[in-house]
Amino acid sequence: MKSVTLIPGDGIGPEVAFSAKAVVDALNLGIEWEIINAGKSVFDVSGVLVPDELYNSIESNRVVLKGPITTPIGKGFKSINVMLRQKYDLFTNIRPVKSITVRNRRFNDIDLVIFRENSEGLYKGVENEISDDEVHALKIVTRTASERIIRAAFDYALKQGRAKVTLVHKANILKKSDGLFLGIGEAIAKAYPTISFESVIVDNMCMQLVMNPNQFDVIVTMNLYGDILSDLCAGLIGGLGLVPGANIGSDIAIFEAVHGSAPDIAGKGLANPTAMILSAAMMLEYLGFTHEANKIKRAVATVFASGIGLTPDLGGDGTTETFTKVVIQNL
Ligand code: ATP
């Protein structure tokens, strides 16, 4: 029996999180869920954004499936998503972007994986108000964090038989900070002679991805660029409802979709739970249930191939609930 923490989240979070839970439960793996929420909906009721109970649960289970959390807008509230990644030093953010449907898509056969540095950069949130008219934001880049994300990307490429790692940066302007990241990448690449390596400036990368995404395989980049490129890549394969993600540290991991809480469609049954279901598959893989994770991926692929039951973001007339049922039928 493995116990896992489930954070339903805000907005469409509970809809997609319980969809993913239902798919995992249908496999009868003996996974026990500790369901504890955090975020805006909890704050509105209790005045606390993250209850201590949640920290205790994460620290005891060490594996988490998490819906998107909304952080109330206002001074003093740091993003809970970012805070959890930093608190538990979940330095590797892995976001596989794989073509799954012909609907809404711009290209066929995209199969790339984004490795996003998850612990520093501008996401450290170091901002100084110099005056009412001037604010400085500090971009923090360290050798330790850069080395571990770049190594993780190369190790993944090696293990998964991937051919190329592309490092994305802006070292032509940010010569010292991005220059450090790039220099570390160039040095690490030498230790992986069987994997080809290239570096691409982030603005050019956006253009290249939109023109010809199939040239990319594994992408490794800094925190903010990784965030932006993830949404761009989601757009290439059909939308935000399709891209899963994993935040992995040395012994704690949080699995979550790339998308946010999408308050515009919350509570209407319109949310596409695919990203969350595939995040749950990544979680099962992490837990050693590789066969079962593949079952989920195959079931999702079958549903997409049939085109039946898809959610409205993909032009279908299904709901979060009916889509989930069809996936479970195809397990
Ligand atoms: P947050 O501030 O929590 O990041 P957001 O609304 O700014 O939320 P997202 O939640 O990432 O950003 O979503 C952007 C848009 O993409 C949403 O308004 C919604 O229309 C669409 N979207 C996101 N996720 C899904 C999903 N799972 N299914 C369908 N549409 C989605």
Side-chain angles (χ1 to χ4, degrees), residues 224-273:
L224 179 62
Y225 309 145
D227 190 19
I228 296 168
L229 293 181
S230 302
D231 275 30
L232 188 156
C233 289
L236 296 174
I237 64 160
L240 275 172
L242 300 176
V243 183
N247 304 284
I248 300 178
S250 48
D251 74 338
I252 292 184
I254 298 183
F255 297 84
E256 63 183 340
V258 165
H259 63 73
S261 58
D264 55 327
I265 55 166
K268 298 177 182 164
L270 299 175
N272 184 346

